[in-house]
Amino acid sequence: MIRRAGLSVTGLGPAGHRSSMNVRLSDTDPPDACRISLREPREVQYWTTHLGISLNQLRQAIDAVGASPAHVEAWVKYQSQATA
């Protein structure tokens, strides 16, 4: 069942017990914490806004250090200090 405020997922949990999980999917929630995807418009919008950079700068950061949000944030911070 998909709702406006989020996604409700029901499945089998540990030991075969039914479990449900509510996942909030909004534009203000951070996307996947493991990697930044340039193929997902929602993620691009989130990260460019969150980091205060352009799409081109986000691409440069990912090219330089990979798609890890922590690495990208550190790179952006380093670059802003180096040019200040």
Side-chain angles (χ1 to χ4, degrees), residues 21-58:
M21 172 178 61
N22 287 322
V23 179
R24 184 180 163 115
L25 298 174
S26 80
D27 291 337
T28 57
D29 287 341
D32 185 359
C34 297
R35 58 184 294 282
I36 298 171
S37 173
L38 292 174
R39 294 181 182 188
E40 296 293 330
R42 181 179 162 274
E43 287 194 34
V44 171
Q45 178 63 43
Y46 174 83
W47 288 111
T48 54
T49 301
H50 177 73
L51 297 170
I53 60 175
S54 68
L55 172 58
N56 191 36
Q57 289 170 309
L58 182 61

PDB file of all heavy atoms in Angstrom, residues 21-58:
ATOM      1  N   MET A  21       6.734  -2.348   8.160  1.00  0.00           N
ATOM      2  CA  MET A  21       7.704  -1.274   8.302  1.00  0.00           C
ATOM      3  C   MET A  21       7.143  -0.074   7.551  1.00  0.00           C
ATOM      4  O   MET A  21       6.717  -0.188   6.420  1.00  0.00           O
ATOM      5  CB  MET A  21       9.028  -1.725   7.694  1.00  0.00           C
ATOM      6  CG  MET A  21      10.062  -0.654   7.594  1.00  0.00           C
ATOM      7  SD  MET A  21      11.633  -1.247   6.926  1.00  0.00           S
ATOM      8  CE  MET A  21      11.172  -1.815   5.315  1.00  0.00           C
ATOM      9  N   ASN A  22       7.133   1.046   8.194  1.00  0.00           N
ATOM     10  CA  ASN A  22       6.733   2.283   7.530  1.00  0.00           C
ATOM     11  C   ASN A  22       7.978   3.051   7.160  1.00  0.00           C
ATOM     12  O   ASN A  22       8.846   3.286   7.992  1.00  0.00           O
ATOM     13  CB  ASN A  22       5.848   3.147   8.442  1.00  0.00           C
ATOM     14  CG  ASN A  22       4.466   2.559   8.584  1.00  0.00           C
ATOM     15  OD1 ASN A  22       3.926   2.040   7.623  1.00  0.00           O
ATOM     16  ND2 ASN A  22       3.910   2.638   9.778  1.00  0.00           N
ATOM     17  N   VAL A  23       8.072   3.427   5.913  1.00  0.00           N
ATOM     18  CA  VAL A  23       9.210   4.175   5.412  1.00  0.00           C
ATOM     19  C   VAL A  23       8.691   5.520   4.949  1.00  0.00           C
ATOM     20  O   VAL A  23       7.812   5.583   4.102  1.00  0.00           O
ATOM     21  CB  VAL A  23       9.882   3.436   4.230  1.00  0.00           C
ATOM     22  CG1 VAL A  23      11.055   4.246   3.714  1.00  0.00           C
ATOM     23  CG2 VAL A  23      10.304   2.049   4.642  1.00  0.00           C
ATOM     24  N   ARG A  24       9.237   6.569   5.501  1.00  0.00           N
ATOM     25  CA  ARG A  24       8.799   7.901   5.098  1.00  0.00           C
ATOM     26  C   ARG A  24       9.602   8.332   3.879  1.00  0.00           C
ATOM     27  O   ARG A  24      10.819   8.313   3.896  1.00  0.00           O
ATOM     28  CB  ARG A  24       9.006   8.887   6.237  1.00  0.00           C
ATOM     29  CG  ARG A  24       8.473  10.246   5.903  1.00  0.00           C
ATOM     30  CD  ARG A  24       8.686  11.183   7.054  1.00  0.00           C
ATOM     31  NE  ARG A  24       8.542  12.520   6.565  1.00  0.00           N
ATOM     32  CZ  ARG A  24       7.579  13.342   6.935  1.00  0.00           C
ATOM     33  NH1 ARG A  24       6.702  12.940   7.803  1.00  0.00           N
ATOM     34  NH2 ARG A  24       7.500  14.543   6.443  1.00  0.00           N
ATOM     35  N   LEU A  25       8.897   8.715   2.848  1.00  0.00           N
ATOM     36  CA  LEU A  25       9.545   9.173   1.627  1.00  0.00           C
ATOM     37  C   LEU A  25       9.099  10.599   1.346  1.00  0.00           C
ATOM     38  O   LEU A  25       8.095  10.833   0.717  1.00  0.00           O
ATOM     39  CB  LEU A  25       9.165   8.278   0.441  1.00  0.00           C
ATOM     40  CG  LEU A  25       9.568   6.822   0.546  1.00  0.00           C
ATOM     41  CD1 LEU A  25       8.999   6.032  -0.616  1.00  0.00           C
ATOM     42  CD2 LEU A  25      11.076   6.690   0.582  1.00  0.00           C
ATOM     43  N   SER A  26       9.852  11.546   1.835  1.00  0.00           N
ATOM     44  CA  SER A  26       9.521  12.936   1.552  1.00  0.00           C
ATOM     45  C   SER A  26      10.747  13.625   0.983  1.00  0.00           C
ATOM     46  O   SER A  26      11.864  13.116   1.062  1.00  0.00           O
ATOM     47  CB  SER A  26       9.044  13.661   2.817  1.00  0.00           C
ATOM     48  OG  SER A  26      10.135  14.054   3.603  1.00  0.00           O
ATOM     49  N   ASP A  27      10.564  14.792   0.430  1.00  0.00           N
ATOM     50  CA  ASP A  27      11.663  15.518  -0.190  1.00  0.00           C
ATOM     51  C   ASP A  27      12.657  16.063   0.830  1.00  0.00           C
ATOM     52  O   ASP A  27      13.761  16.445   0.471  1.00  0.00           O
ATOM     53  CB  ASP A  27      11.133  16.658  -1.050  1.00  0.00           C
ATOM     54  CG  ASP A  27      10.403  16.134  -2.278  1.00  0.00           C
ATOM     55  OD1 ASP A  27      10.682  14.991  -2.683  1.00  0.00           O
ATOM     56  OD2 ASP A  27       9.565  16.868  -2.814  1.00  0.00           O
ATOM     57  N   THR A  28      12.271  16.120   2.113  1.00  0.00           N
ATOM     58  CA  THR A  28      13.179  16.658   3.116  1.00  0.00           C
ATOM     59  C   THR A  28      13.955  15.566   3.841  1.00  0.00           C
ATOM     60  O   THR A  28      14.921  15.861   4.514  1.00  0.00           O
ATOM     61  CB  THR A  28      12.402  17.500   4.147  1.00  0.00           C
ATOM     62  OG1 THR A  28      11.394  16.685   4.736  1.00  0.00           O
ATOM     63  CG2 THR A  28      11.778  18.711   3.496  1.00  0.00           C
ATOM     64  N   ASP A  29      13.536  14.317   3.713  1.00  0.00           N
ATOM     65  CA  ASP A  29      14.272  13.219   4.330  1.00  0.00           C
ATOM     66  C   ASP A  29      15.519  12.921   3.513  1.00  0.00           C
ATOM     67  O   ASP A  29      15.481  12.920   2.284  1.00  0.00           O
ATOM     68  CB  ASP A  29      13.422  11.946   4.383  1.00  0.00           C
ATOM     69  CG  ASP A  29      12.321  12.032   5.412  1.00  0.00           C
ATOM     70  OD1 ASP A  29      12.420  12.887   6.304  1.00  0.00           O
ATOM     71  OD2 ASP A  29      11.378  11.245   5.312  1.00  0.00           O
ATOM     72  N   PRO A  30      16.634  12.637   4.189  1.00  0.00           N
ATOM     73  CA  PRO A  30      17.820  12.278   3.421  1.00  0.00           C
ATOM     74  C   PRO A  30      17.604  10.967   2.685  1.00  0.00           C
ATOM     75  O   PRO A  30      16.998  10.044   3.211  1.00  0.00           O
ATOM     76  CB  PRO A  30      18.911  12.127   4.481  1.00  0.00           C
ATOM     77  CG  PRO A  30      18.282  12.294   5.790  1.00  0.00           C
ATOM     78  CD  PRO A  30      16.850  12.660   5.595  1.00  0.00           C
ATOM     79  N   PRO A  31      18.097  10.879   1.470  1.00  0.00           N
ATOM     80  CA  PRO A  31      17.979   9.636   0.726  1.00  0.00           C
ATOM     81  C   PRO A  31      18.939   8.581   1.262  1.00  0.00           C
ATOM     82  O   PRO A  31      19.505   8.738   2.326  1.00  0.00           O
ATOM     83  CB  PRO A  31      18.324  10.030  -0.700  1.00  0.00           C
ATOM     84  CG  PRO A  31      18.886  11.385  -0.640  1.00  0.00           C
ATOM     85  CD  PRO A  31      18.646  11.951   0.714  1.00  0.00           C
ATOM     86  N   ASP A  32      19.160   7.553   0.505  1.00  0.00           N
ATOM     87  CA  ASP A  32      20.040   6.455   0.858  1.00  0.00           C
ATOM     88  C   ASP A  32      21.318   6.969   1.522  1.00  0.00           C
ATOM     89  O   ASP A  32      22.040   7.781   0.953  1.00  0.00           O
ATOM     90  CB  ASP A  32      20.383   5.685  -0.423  1.00  0.00           C
ATOM     91  CG  ASP A  32      21.211   4.445  -0.177  1.00  0.00           C
ATOM     92  OD1 ASP A  32      21.560   4.170   0.996  1.00  0.00           O
ATOM     93  OD2 ASP A  32      21.487   3.732  -1.146  1.00  0.00           O
ATOM     94  N   ALA A  33      21.606   6.488   2.723  1.00  0.00           N
ATOM     95  CA  ALA A  33      22.761   6.958   3.468  1.00  0.00           C
ATOM     96  C   ALA A  33      24.072   6.324   2.997  1.00  0.00           C
ATOM     97  O   ALA A  33      25.136   6.746   3.405  1.00  0.00           O
ATOM     98  CB  ALA A  33      22.566   6.676   4.953  1.00  0.00           C
ATOM     99  N   CYS A  34      23.999   5.329   2.140  1.00  0.00           N
ATOM    100  CA  CYS A  34      25.203   4.607   1.706  1.00  0.00           C
ATOM    101  C   CYS A  34      25.859   5.224   0.478  1.00  0.00           C
ATOM    102  O   CYS A  34      27.071   5.113   0.313  1.00  0.00           O
ATOM    103  CB  CYS A  34      24.870   3.150   1.401  1.00  0.00           C
ATOM    104  SG  CYS A  34      24.302   2.257   2.840  1.00  0.00           S
ATOM    105  N   ARG A  35      25.054   5.814  -0.402  1.00  0.00           N
ATOM    106  CA  ARG A  35      25.629   6.341  -1.629  1.00  0.00           C
ATOM    107  C   ARG A  35      24.714   7.402  -2.225  1.00  0.00           C
ATOM    108  O   ARG A  35      23.513   7.402  -1.997  1.00  0.00           O
ATOM    109  CB  ARG A  35      25.864   5.236  -2.653  1.00  0.00           C
ATOM    110  CG  ARG A  35      24.628   4.460  -3.039  1.00  0.00           C
ATOM    111  CD  ARG A  35      24.897   3.307  -3.990  1.00  0.00           C
ATOM    112  NE  ARG A  35      25.363   3.704  -5.288  1.00  0.00           N
ATOM    113  CZ  ARG A  35      24.606   4.185  -6.261  1.00  0.00           C
ATOM    114  NH1 ARG A  35      23.331   4.338  -6.069  1.00  0.00           N
ATOM    115  NH2 ARG A  35      25.118   4.500  -7.420  1.00  0.00           N
ATOM    116  N   ILE A  36      25.301   8.290  -2.997  1.00  0.00           N
ATOM    117  CA  ILE A  36      24.554   9.323  -3.705  1.00  0.00           C
ATOM    118  C   ILE A  36      24.386   8.861  -5.147  1.00  0.00           C
ATOM    119  O   ILE A  36      25.357   8.513  -5.802  1.00  0.00           O
ATOM    120  CB  ILE A  36      25.298  10.670  -3.670  1.00  0.00           C
ATOM    121  CG1 ILE A  36      25.460  11.151  -2.236  1.00  0.00           C
ATOM    122  CG2 ILE A  36      24.568  11.712  -4.517  1.00  0.00           C
ATOM    123  CD1 ILE A  36      26.367  12.358  -2.081  1.00  0.00           C
ATOM    124  N   SER A  37      23.157   8.854  -5.622  1.00  0.00           N
ATOM    125  CA  SER A  37      22.891   8.449  -6.993  1.00  0.00           C
ATOM    126  C   SER A  37      22.530   9.660  -7.839  1.00  0.00           C
ATOM    127  O   SER A  37      21.554  10.357  -7.550  1.00  0.00           O
ATOM    128  CB  SER A  37      21.737   7.438  -7.045  1.00  0.00           C
ATOM    129  OG  SER A  37      21.389   7.172  -8.382  1.00  0.00           O
ATOM    130  N   LEU A  38      23.313   9.885  -8.887  1.00  0.00           N
ATOM    131  CA  LEU A  38      23.012  10.981  -9.809  1.00  0.00           C
ATOM    132  C   LEU A  38      21.865  10.630 -10.738  1.00  0.00           C
ATOM    133  O   LEU A  38      21.362  11.490 -11.457  1.00  0.00           O
ATOM    134  CB  LEU A  38      24.256  11.335 -10.626  1.00  0.00           C
ATOM    135  CG  LEU A  38      25.404  11.954  -9.832  1.00  0.00           C
ATOM    136  CD1 LEU A  38      26.631  12.124 -10.716  1.00  0.00           C
ATOM    137  CD2 LEU A  38      24.983  13.280  -9.231  1.00  0.00           C
ATOM    138  N   ARG A  39      21.429   9.389 -10.726  1.00  0.00           N
ATOM    139  CA  ARG A  39      20.316   8.948 -11.586  1.00  0.00           C
ATOM    140  C   ARG A  39      18.955   9.180 -10.943  1.00  0.00           C
ATOM    141  O   ARG A  39      17.929   8.999 -11.601  1.00  0.00           O
ATOM    142  CB  ARG A  39      20.469   7.466 -11.913  1.00  0.00           C
ATOM    143  CG  ARG A  39      21.680   7.197 -12.745  1.00  0.00           C
ATOM    144  CD  ARG A  39      21.802   5.757 -13.071  1.00  0.00           C
ATOM    145  NE  ARG A  39      23.018   5.537 -13.842  1.00  0.00           N
ATOM    146  CZ  ARG A  39      23.335   4.414 -14.407  1.00  0.00           C
ATOM    147  NH1 ARG A  39      22.536   3.375 -14.291  1.00  0.00           N
ATOM    148  NH2 ARG A  39      24.450   4.294 -15.081  1.00  0.00           N
ATOM    149  N   GLU A  40      18.955   9.552  -9.667  1.00  0.00           N
ATOM    150  CA  GLU A  40      17.699   9.787  -8.953  1.00  0.00           C
ATOM    151  C   GLU A  40      17.504  11.293  -8.748  1.00  0.00           C
ATOM    152  O   GLU A  40      18.216  11.904  -7.944  1.00  0.00           O
ATOM    153  CB  GLU A  40      17.719   9.087  -7.595  1.00  0.00           C
ATOM    154  CG  GLU A  40      17.812   7.577  -7.673  1.00  0.00           C
ATOM    155  CD  GLU A  40      16.571   6.950  -8.271  1.00  0.00           C
ATOM    156  OE1 GLU A  40      15.464   7.530  -8.114  1.00  0.00           O
ATOM    157  OE2 GLU A  40      16.705   5.896  -8.908  1.00  0.00           O
ATOM    158  N   PRO A  41      16.567  11.903  -9.476  1.00  0.00           N
ATOM    159  CA  PRO A  41      16.362  13.356  -9.357  1.00  0.00           C
ATOM    160  C   PRO A  41      16.131  13.827  -7.922  1.00  0.00           C
ATOM    161  O   PRO A  41      16.614  14.884  -7.522  1.00  0.00           O
ATOM    162  CB  PRO A  41      15.128  13.617 -10.225  1.00  0.00           C
ATOM    163  CG  PRO A  41      15.107  12.489 -11.203  1.00  0.00           C
ATOM    164  CD  PRO A  41      15.678  11.303 -10.467  1.00  0.00           C
ATOM    165  N   ARG A  42      15.402  13.025  -7.133  1.00  0.00           N
ATOM    166  CA  ARG A  42      15.133  13.392  -5.740  1.00  0.00           C
ATOM    167  C   ARG A  42      16.433  13.477  -4.942  1.00  0.00           C
ATOM    168  O   ARG A  42      16.624  14.363  -4.121  1.00  0.00           O
ATOM    169  CB  ARG A  42      14.186  12.377  -5.113  1.00  0.00           C
ATOM    170  CG  ARG A  42      13.825  12.672  -3.685  1.00  0.00           C
ATOM    171  CD  ARG A  42      12.853  11.613  -3.160  1.00  0.00           C
ATOM    172  NE  ARG A  42      12.840  11.629  -1.733  1.00  0.00           N
ATOM    173  CZ  ARG A  42      13.686  10.955  -0.954  1.00  0.00           C
ATOM    174  NH1 ARG A  42      14.596  10.187  -1.472  1.00  0.00           N
ATOM    175  NH2 ARG A  42      13.613  11.039   0.353  1.00  0.00           N
ATOM    176  N   GLU A  43      17.342  12.538  -5.191  1.00  0.00           N
ATOM    177  CA  GLU A  43      18.622  12.547  -4.492  1.00  0.00           C
ATOM    178  C   GLU A  43      19.485  13.715  -4.938  1.00  0.00           C
ATOM    179  O   GLU A  43      20.125  14.372  -4.112  1.00  0.00           O
ATOM    180  CB  GLU A  43      19.381  11.237  -4.704  1.00  0.00           C
ATOM    181  CG  GLU A  43      18.783  10.090  -3.949  1.00  0.00           C
ATOM    182  CD  GLU A  43      19.716   8.904  -3.878  1.00  0.00           C
ATOM    183  OE1 GLU A  43      20.949   9.104  -3.814  1.00  0.00           O
ATOM    184  OE2 GLU A  43      19.222   7.776  -3.885  1.00  0.00           O
ATOM    185  N   VAL A  44      19.524  13.975  -6.230  1.00  0.00           N
ATOM    186  CA  VAL A  44      20.303  15.110  -6.743  1.00  0.00           C
ATOM    187  C   VAL A  44      19.784  16.406  -6.121  1.00  0.00           C
ATOM    188  O   VAL A  44      20.569  17.228  -5.639  1.00  0.00           O
ATOM    189  CB  VAL A  44      20.242  15.170  -8.283  1.00  0.00           C
ATOM    190  CG1 VAL A  44      20.851  16.467  -8.799  1.00  0.00           C
ATOM    191  CG2 VAL A  44      20.945  13.961  -8.893  1.00  0.00           C
ATOM    192  N   GLN A  45      18.476  16.578  -6.106  1.00  0.00           N
ATOM    193  CA  GLN A  45      17.876  17.787  -5.514  1.00  0.00           C
ATOM    194  C   GLN A  45      18.231  17.888  -4.035  1.00  0.00           C
ATOM    195  O   GLN A  45      18.619  18.956  -3.554  1.00  0.00           O
ATOM    196  CB  GLN A  45      16.352  17.771  -5.692  1.00  0.00           C
ATOM    197  CG  GLN A  45      15.644  18.953  -5.068  1.00  0.00           C
ATOM    198  CD  GLN A  45      16.041  20.269  -5.699  1.00  0.00           C
ATOM    199  OE1 GLN A  45      16.145  20.367  -6.910  1.00  0.00           O
ATOM    200  NE2 GLN A  45      16.265  21.280  -4.893  1.00  0.00           N
ATOM    201  N   TYR A  46      18.110  16.787  -3.308  1.00  0.00           N
ATOM    202  CA  TYR A  46      18.413  16.802  -1.873  1.00  0.00           C
ATOM    203  C   TYR A  46      19.868  17.196  -1.637  1.00  0.00           C
ATOM    204  O   TYR A  46      20.152  18.100  -0.856  1.00  0.00           O
ATOM    205  CB  TYR A  46      18.133  15.443  -1.225  1.00  0.00           C
ATOM    206  CG  TYR A  46      18.583  15.424   0.212  1.00  0.00           C
ATOM    207  CD1 TYR A  46      17.768  15.937   1.218  1.00  0.00           C
ATOM    208  CD2 TYR A  46      19.849  14.958   0.567  1.00  0.00           C
ATOM    209  CE1 TYR A  46      18.193  15.965   2.538  1.00  0.00           C
ATOM    210  CE2 TYR A  46      20.286  14.987   1.877  1.00  0.00           C
ATOM    211  CZ  TYR A  46      19.455  15.491   2.856  1.00  0.00           C
ATOM    212  OH  TYR A  46      19.892  15.531   4.159  1.00  0.00           O
ATOM    213  N   TRP A  47      20.800  16.507  -2.304  1.00  0.00           N
ATOM    214  CA  TRP A  47      22.224  16.720  -2.022  1.00  0.00           C
ATOM    215  C   TRP A  47      22.714  18.083  -2.494  1.00  0.00           C
ATOM    216  O   TRP A  47      23.530  18.714  -1.816  1.00  0.00           O
ATOM    217  CB  TRP A  47      23.070  15.588  -2.593  1.00  0.00           C
ATOM    218  CG  TRP A  47      22.881  14.337  -1.791  1.00  0.00           C
ATOM    219  CD1 TRP A  47      22.261  13.187  -2.192  1.00  0.00           C
ATOM    220  CD2 TRP A  47      23.268  14.119  -0.430  1.00  0.00           C
ATOM    221  NE1 TRP A  47      22.245  12.274  -1.169  1.00  0.00           N
ATOM    222  CE2 TRP A  47      22.852  12.821  -0.074  1.00  0.00           C
ATOM    223  CE3 TRP A  47      23.912  14.888   0.523  1.00  0.00           C
ATOM    224  CZ2 TRP A  47      23.078  12.282   1.195  1.00  0.00           C
ATOM    225  CZ3 TRP A  47      24.131  14.354   1.789  1.00  0.00           C
ATOM    226  CH2 TRP A  47      23.719  13.068   2.111  1.00  0.00           C
ATOM    227  N   THR A  48      22.246  18.565  -3.639  1.00  0.00           N
ATOM    228  CA  THR A  48      22.684  19.894  -4.081  1.00  0.00           C
ATOM    229  C   THR A  48      22.175  20.972  -3.120  1.00  0.00           C
ATOM    230  O   THR A  48      22.909  21.902  -2.784  1.00  0.00           O
ATOM    231  CB  THR A  48      22.250  20.210  -5.524  1.00  0.00           C
ATOM    232  OG1 THR A  48      20.843  20.040  -5.649  1.00  0.00           O
ATOM    233  CG2 THR A  48      22.976  19.317  -6.515  1.00  0.00           C
ATOM    234  N   THR A  49      20.940  20.814  -2.657  1.00  0.00           N
ATOM    235  CA  THR A  49      20.386  21.767  -1.696  1.00  0.00           C
ATOM    236  C   THR A  49      21.084  21.640  -0.349  1.00  0.00           C
ATOM    237  O   THR A  49      21.491  22.638   0.251  1.00  0.00           O
ATOM    238  CB  THR A  49      18.870  21.546  -1.532  1.00  0.00           C
ATOM    239  OG1 THR A  49      18.245  21.708  -2.801  1.00  0.00           O
ATOM    240  CG2 THR A  49      18.269  22.519  -0.539  1.00  0.00           C
ATOM    241  N   HIS A  50      21.225  20.417   0.140  1.00  0.00           N
ATOM    242  CA  HIS A  50      21.844  20.164   1.450  1.00  0.00           C
ATOM    243  C   HIS A  50      23.279  20.681   1.504  1.00  0.00           C
ATOM    244  O   HIS A  50      23.699  21.252   2.509  1.00  0.00           O
ATOM    245  CB  HIS A  50      21.808  18.652   1.746  1.00  0.00           C
ATOM    246  CG  HIS A  50      22.472  18.269   3.018  1.00  0.00           C
ATOM    247  ND1 HIS A  50      21.921  18.521   4.249  1.00  0.00           N
ATOM    248  CD2 HIS A  50      23.658  17.645   3.248  1.00  0.00           C
ATOM    249  CE1 HIS A  50      22.742  18.073   5.201  1.00  0.00           C
ATOM    250  NE2 HIS A  50      23.791  17.530   4.611  1.00  0.00           N
ATOM    251  N   LEU A  51      24.017  20.484   0.421  1.00  0.00           N
ATOM    252  CA  LEU A  51      25.428  20.891   0.397  1.00  0.00           C
ATOM    253  C   LEU A  51      25.635  22.308  -0.136  1.00  0.00           C
ATOM    254  O   LEU A  51      26.738  22.841  -0.035  1.00  0.00           O
ATOM    255  CB  LEU A  51      26.228  19.900  -0.461  1.00  0.00           C
ATOM    256  CG  LEU A  51      26.258  18.463   0.047  1.00  0.00           C
ATOM    257  CD1 LEU A  51      26.870  17.543  -1.000  1.00  0.00           C
ATOM    258  CD2 LEU A  51      27.014  18.366   1.366  1.00  0.00           C
ATOM    259  N   GLY A  52      24.592  22.892  -0.724  1.00  0.00           N
ATOM    260  CA  GLY A  52      24.700  24.244  -1.262  1.00  0.00           C
ATOM    261  C   GLY A  52      25.606  24.315  -2.476  1.00  0.00           C
ATOM    262  O   GLY A  52      26.381  25.264  -2.621  1.00  0.00           O
ATOM    263  N   ILE A  53      25.518  23.305  -3.341  1.00  0.00           N
ATOM    264  CA  ILE A  53      26.372  23.233  -4.525  1.00  0.00           C
ATOM    265  C   ILE A  53      25.517  22.973  -5.760  1.00  0.00           C
ATOM    266  O   ILE A  53      24.356  22.606  -5.665  1.00  0.00           O
ATOM    267  CB  ILE A  53      27.454  22.133  -4.389  1.00  0.00           C
ATOM    268  CG1 ILE A  53      26.813  20.745  -4.206  1.00  0.00           C
ATOM    269  CG2 ILE A  53      28.405  22.458  -3.242  1.00  0.00           C
ATOM    270  CD1 ILE A  53      27.795  19.596  -4.180  1.00  0.00           C
ATOM    271  N   SER A  54      26.140  23.141  -6.914  1.00  0.00           N
ATOM    272  CA  SER A  54      25.452  22.890  -8.181  1.00  0.00           C
ATOM    273  C   SER A  54      25.537  21.411  -8.552  1.00  0.00           C
ATOM    274  O   SER A  54      26.318  20.651  -7.953  1.00  0.00           O
ATOM    275  CB  SER A  54      26.101  23.712  -9.295  1.00  0.00           C
ATOM    276  OG  SER A  54      27.408  23.221  -9.560  1.00  0.00           O
ATOM    277  N   LEU A  55      24.774  21.024  -9.548  1.00  0.00           N
ATOM    278  CA  LEU A  55      24.831  19.659 -10.054  1.00  0.00           C
ATOM    279  C   LEU A  55      26.235  19.347 -10.569  1.00  0.00           C
ATOM    280  O   LEU A  55      26.774  18.269 -10.310  1.00  0.00           O
ATOM    281  CB  LEU A  55      23.793  19.447 -11.161  1.00  0.00           C
ATOM    282  CG  LEU A  55      23.855  18.116 -11.911  1.00  0.00           C
ATOM    283  CD1 LEU A  55      23.708  16.938 -10.958  1.00  0.00           C
ATOM    284  CD2 LEU A  55      22.792  18.074 -12.991  1.00  0.00           C
ATOM    285  N   ASN A  56      26.845  20.285 -11.264  1.00  0.00           N
ATOM    286  CA  ASN A  56      28.196  20.080 -11.775  1.00  0.00           C
ATOM    287  C   ASN A  56      29.197  19.851 -10.634  1.00  0.00           C
ATOM    288  O   ASN A  56      30.063  18.984 -10.718  1.00  0.00           O
ATOM    289  CB  ASN A  56      28.626  21.265 -12.644  1.00  0.00           C
ATOM    290  CG  ASN A  56      29.890  20.980 -13.414  1.00  0.00           C
ATOM    291  OD1 ASN A  56      30.111  19.857 -13.863  1.00  0.00           O
ATOM    292  ND2 ASN A  56      30.718  21.998 -13.571  1.00  0.00           N
ATOM    293  N   GLN A  57      29.059  20.619  -9.563  1.00  0.00           N
ATOM    294  CA  GLN A  57      29.948  20.442  -8.409  1.00  0.00           C
ATOM    295  C   GLN A  57      29.710  19.090  -7.736  1.00  0.00           C
ATOM    296  O   GLN A  57      30.665  18.456  -7.278  1.00  0.00           O
ATOM    297  CB  GLN A  57      29.742  21.568  -7.405  1.00  0.00           C
ATOM    298  CG  GLN A  57      30.266  22.902  -7.897  1.00  0.00           C
ATOM    299  CD  GLN A  57      29.845  24.035  -6.994  1.00  0.00           C
ATOM    300  OE1 GLN A  57      28.664  24.178  -6.667  1.00  0.00           O
ATOM    301  NE2 GLN A  57      30.805  24.851  -6.589  1.00  0.00           N
ATOM    302  N   LEU A  58      28.451  18.654  -7.687  1.00  0.00           N
ATOM    303  CA  LEU A  58      28.148  17.340  -7.116  1.00  0.00           C
ATOM    304  C   LEU A  58      28.799  16.248  -7.961  1.00  0.00           C
ATOM    305  O   LEU A  58      29.395  15.310  -7.427  1.00  0.00           O
ATOM    306  CB  LEU A  58      26.636  17.131  -7.023  1.00  0.00           C
ATOM    307  CG  LEU A  58      26.165  15.818  -6.406  1.00  0.00           C
ATOM    308  CD1 LEU A  58      26.655  15.678  -4.965  1.00  0.00           C
ATOM    309  CD2 LEU A  58      24.641  15.720  -6.456  1.00  0.00           C
TER     310      LEU A  58
END
